[in-house]
């Protein structure tokens, strides 16, 4: 099964950490997510699916950050 990293903070070297744990997805908490988080994850070939992204305004903001999808209630 594919492995995802569910994180609530910022991981400075997300690619290296993902490789160590065998992850192919990054699931960051939406409120703590930044554009460079998404860019670094994509450089490491990780899919980015933040949680919990609720409401149209936040969905649009997540989309503008370049995420691959969202997790919502």
């Amino acid at each position: 099964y594919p492995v995802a990293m569910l994180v609530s903070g910022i991981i400075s070297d997300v690619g290296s950490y993902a490789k160590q744990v065998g992850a192919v997805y990054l699931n960051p908490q939406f409120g703590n997510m930044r554009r460079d988080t998404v860019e670094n994850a994509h450089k490491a070939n990780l899919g980015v699916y933040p949680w919990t992204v609720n409401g149209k305004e936040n969905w649009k903001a997540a989309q503008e950050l370049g995420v691959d999808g969202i997790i919502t209630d």
Side-chain angles (χ1 to χ4, degrees), residues 16-69:
S16 176
Y17 190 78
K19 187 174 182 178
Q20 288 178 22
V21 299
V24 295
Y25 300 111
L26 175 66
N27 300 134
Q29 181 182 19
F30 179 65
N32 293 332
M33 195 177 72
R34 305 182 318 214
R35 181 174 303 279
D36 63 323
T37 302
V38 177
E39 291 170 353
N40 290 335
H42 283 158
K43 286 178 188 174
N45 295 317
L46 298 171
V48 180
Y49 297 84
W51 58 275
T52 299
V53 187
N54 292 329
K56 290 181 182 179
E57 186 174 303
N58 286 333
W59 298 338
K60 182 176 171 110
Q63 188 177 36
E64 289 172 355
L65 289 173
V67 302
D68 300 295

